[in-house]
């Protein structure tokens, strides 16, 4: 269809739509404002009028630009699939390679979507790994009787003038996994082999700087515990400081507070007391875990099959136990018929499943602390060659992949820029594919025309005539008209007249009123 016909068609459609519109109703509300007697009192200055006209011009240009952008987006091609048959007209195997590349892209998109869903699922549930926290406990002594100077036997006062004290230090550090250590050693050997000393030194400086910028910091000792208490095994009446308990509690800190205060972020805990004799003590470590784990009662541990668990694990185990035992009522699935185990736990014959989360609260007990016995020694045998006491405590640490997953979830500027570049390249590929399709259509047009120009022009004119009649709404075939195309001469179900397109066209023609009378 040429541009003139298209313009005429759009004009006719607009006229028809305007005729179908109902009569406009009078507008309710206040009418246009009429100039009152005081309207001449305020007149805009020439500069203000010029500014208003300029603002109107700018707004008009912005609206035109937005309309052009919308039209450009609406008409922008999006199909990047090369249709069949084009490879016959193109020299080389470029089409086959492009289709193979598109297949690789589809598999890559499917893999990325699956990984994205896995990341979203990973963000919902918390993942932790069990690691070793090594704790060193040692103590020093000062001003002990055996450390003082020799006293004068003739002197009346045998006091050295200083009080005997001891200082205890507790140091904790999270140990790396063996796999992580192997990877680190391999990287060090790879970076250090066959390199210039000066260049390697610069590389070490740069790598260390990048590591400090990118790698997350190692969890500190205080982050694994919410409270630490030291119980001194000594009579309170004999304790000079009048206290047998030393306690540290983690202060309340916002979940994402950075940096943490010093009182909540440390690797070493020290305390000093007065004493000149060896004392036994017990160090109690109260875990700080998210989500919180609880110790289970005997009744609940039979269902969970464990001594400790989180609330989520308890509810999951409870649901699996109910499903395995078939304790749901047929008429009411929420109602649970308790067996002997659940009856001993809930003290009832039936219970609704939503009520279980509240009923198990009494069966969730605080976890007992980790107890580390230690003897504070101030005797010369120990102080001359002090050896720390070492304990390994299993703690729940964040998964090392957590930081990498978080970095993937974050909107990195480089990632956003890469997505915009990919989108731009996709648009360019879609435009190239559209140009190929148009070139293929022109190639087929001129190839068919070169074989039999007269017959081709007849068929083309007949086709354009039918299209024009369909557009203008006058698709009646006058008597005596003969179709040139062979497919319209054939009948039967396998012909054109038995196709779905013809049936749909007939239904549309029958459904709309058509004026068959010739005026």
């Amino acid at each position: 269809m040429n541009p003139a016909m298209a313009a005429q068609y759009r004009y006719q459609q607009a006229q028809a739509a305007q005729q179908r519109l109902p009569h406009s109703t009078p507008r309710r509300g206040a009418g246009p404002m009429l100039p009152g007697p005081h309207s001449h009192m305020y007149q805009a200055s020439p500069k203000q009028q010029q500014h208003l006209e300029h603002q109107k011009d700018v707004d008009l240009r912005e609206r035109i630009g937005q309309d052009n952008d919308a039209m450009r987006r609406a008409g922008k091609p999006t199909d990047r699939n090369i249709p069949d048959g084009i490879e016959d007209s193109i020299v080389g195997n470029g089409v086959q390679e492009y289709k193979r590349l598109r297949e690789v892209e589809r598999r890559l998109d499917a893999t990325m979507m699956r990984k994205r869903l896995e990341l979203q699922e990973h963000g919902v549930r918390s993942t932790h790994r069990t690691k070793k926290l090594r704790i060193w406990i040692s103590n020093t002594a000062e001003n002990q009787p055996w450390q003082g100077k020799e006293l004068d036997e003739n002197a009346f006062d045998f006091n050295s003038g200083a009080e005997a004290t001891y200082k205890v230090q507790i140091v904790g550090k999270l140990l790396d996994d063996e796999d992580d250590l192997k990877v680190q050693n391999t990287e060090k050997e790879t970076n250090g082999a066959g390199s210039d000393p000066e260049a390697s030194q610069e590389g070490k400086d740069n790598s260390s700087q990048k590591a400090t910028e990118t790698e997350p910091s190692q969890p500190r000792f205080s982050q694994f515990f919410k409270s630490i208490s030291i119980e001194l095994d000594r009579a309170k009446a004999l304790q000079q400081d009048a206290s047998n308990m030393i306690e540290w509690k983690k202060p309340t800190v916002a979940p994402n507070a950075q940096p943490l205060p010093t009182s909540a972020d440390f690797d070493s805990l020290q305390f000093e007391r007065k004493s000149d004799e060896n004392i036994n003590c017990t160090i109690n470590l109260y875990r700080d875990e998210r989500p919180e784990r609880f110790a289970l009662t005997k009744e609940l541990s039979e269902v969970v099959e464990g001594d400790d668990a989180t609330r989520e694990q308890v509810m999951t185990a409870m649901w699996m136990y109910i499903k395995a035992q078939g304790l749901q009522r047929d008429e009411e699935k929420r109602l649970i018929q308790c067996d002997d185990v659940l009856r001993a736990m809930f003290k009832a014959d039936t219970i609704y499943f939503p009520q279980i989360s509240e009923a198990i609260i009494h069966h969730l007990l605080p976890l007992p602390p980790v107890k580390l016995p230690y003897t504070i020694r101030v005797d010369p045998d120990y102080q001359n060659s002090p050896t720390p006491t070492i304990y390994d405590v299993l703690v729940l640490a964040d998964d090392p992949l957590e930081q990498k997953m978080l970095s993937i979830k974050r909107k990195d500027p480089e990632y956003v820029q890469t997505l915009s570049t990919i989108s731009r390249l996709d648009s360019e590929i879609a435009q190239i594919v559209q140009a190929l399709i148009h070139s293929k259509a022109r190639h087929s047009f001129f190839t068919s025309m070169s074989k039999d120009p007269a017959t081709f022009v007849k068929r083309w004119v007949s086709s354009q005539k039918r299209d024009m009649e369909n557009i203008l709404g006058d698709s009646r075939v006058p008597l005596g008209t003969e179709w040139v195309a062979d497919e319209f001469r054939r009948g039967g179900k396998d012909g054109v007249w038995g196709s779905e397109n013809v049936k749909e066209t007939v239904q549309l023609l029958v459904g709309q009123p058509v004026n068959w009378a010739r005026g």
Side-chain angles (χ1 to χ4, degrees), residues 164-220:
T165 60
Y166 62 85
K167 183 182 294 185
V168 178
Q169 184 178 24
I170 306 172
V171 180
K173 183 179 180 182
L174 191 66
L175 299 183
D176 295 329
D177 294 338
E178 295 181 359
D179 297 336
D180 299 339
L181 294 176
K182 290 180 181 179
V183 172
Q184 293 176 2
N185 295 333
T186 306
E187 291 178 354
K188 291 179 180 179
E189 294 175 0
T190 304
N191 296 332
S195 59
D196 187 12
E198 296 181 358
S200 63
Q201 184 64 29
E202 293 179 359
K204 289 179 181 178
D205 296 340
N206 295 334
S207 62
S208 62
Q209 183 178 1
K210 290 181 181 179
T212 54
E213 292 177 356
T214 58
E215 293 183 359
S217 59
Q218 190 79 352
R220 309 295 292 271

Side-chain angles (χ1 to χ4, degrees), residues 21 74 76 94 98 113 147 196 282 304 404 412-413 431 433:
L21 289 175
K76 186 168 60 174
Y98 178 78
M113 180 58 66
Q147 291 177 332
D196 187 12
T282 302
V304 180
K404 294 184 179 180
D412 190 6
Q431 293 176 2
V433 170

Side-chain angles (χ1 to χ4, degrees), residues 172-408:
K173 183 179 180 182
L174 191 66
L175 299 183
D176 295 329
D177 294 338
E178 295 181 359
D179 297 336
D180 299 339
L181 294 176
K182 290 180 181 179
V183 172
Q184 293 176 2
N185 295 333
T186 306
E187 291 178 354
K188 291 179 180 179
E189 294 175 0
T190 304
N191 296 332
S195 59
D196 187 12
E198 296 181 358
S200 63
Q201 184 64 29
E202 293 179 359
K204 289 179 181 178
D205 296 340
N206 295 334
S207 62
S208 62
Q209 183 178 1
K210 290 181 181 179
T212 54
E213 292 177 356
T214 58
E215 293 183 359
S217 59
Q218 190 79 352
R220 309 295 292 271
F221 171 63
S222 59
Q223 296 180 13
F224 296 102
F225 306 103
K226 58 185 177 182
S227 176
I228 301 176
S229 64
I230 299 95
E231 298 179 1
L232 301 176
D233 187 10
R234 189 178 181 184
K236 187 174 181 181
L238 300 178
Q239 183 67 24
Q240 298 180 10
D241 296 332
S243 176
N244 286 351
M245 177 71 70
I246 302 170
E247 188 176 9
W248 168 84
K249 289 185 178 181
K250 181 182 293 185
T252 304
V253 182
N256 298 325
Q258 291 294 337
L260 294 174
T262 309
S263 58
D265 188 23
F266 58 84
D267 285 329
S268 175
L269 179 64
Q270 296 182 359
F271 64 92
E272 184 178 2
R273 288 295 183 269
K274 301 175 183 178
S275 180
D276 56 358
E277 60 181 9
N278 297 340
I279 303 175
N280 295 327
C281 67
T282 302
I283 301 172
N284 300 315
L285 305 177
Y286 296 89
R287 303 175 186 270
D288 186 11
E289 298 177 354
R290 296 291 184 271
E292 186 178 1
R293 284 191 304 137
F294 298 91
L296 309 180
T297 59
K298 182 180 179 181
E299 295 81 4
L300 186 57
S301 61
E302 293 181 5
V303 178
V304 180
E305 297 182 356
D307 296 331
D308 56 80
T310 61
R311 288 180 181 270
E312 182 180 0
Q313 293 173 348
V314 170
M315 293 302 298
T316 303
M318 188 70 67
W319 172 249
M320 293 177 63
Y321 179 83
I322 292 172
K323 294 291 290 185
Q325 300 296 330
L327 302 180
Q328 288 180 289
R329 289 282 185 89
D330 295 334
E331 63 276 5
E332 178 61 58
K333 295 295 184 180
R334 296 184 305 165
L335 188 61
I336 309 302
Q337 182 68 41
C338 297
D339 59 357
D340 295 338
V341 177
L342 298 184
R343 193 177 297 108
M345 186 187 309
F346 301 130
K347 309 300 182 184
D349 295 333
T350 58
I351 186 173
Y352 283 95
F353 189 81
Q355 298 176 352
I356 294 180
S357 59
E358 297 181 1
I360 63 174
I361 292 178
H362 303 289
H363 298 273
L364 301 178
L365 307 177
L367 277 177
V370 179
K371 295 182 177 294
L372 306 179
Y374 179 72
T375 301
I376 304 173
R377 299 184 59 181
V378 297
D379 56 282
D381 295 337
Y382 175 82
Q383 294 298 325
N384 291 333
S385 58
T387 302
T389 303
I390 301 175
Y391 292 97
D392 286 341
V393 179
L394 296 179
V395 294
L396 293 180
D398 293 335
D399 195 340
L401 296 177
E402 183 72 20
Q403 297 297 330
K404 294 184 179 180
M405 291 183 178
L406 290 176
S407 63
I408 294 174

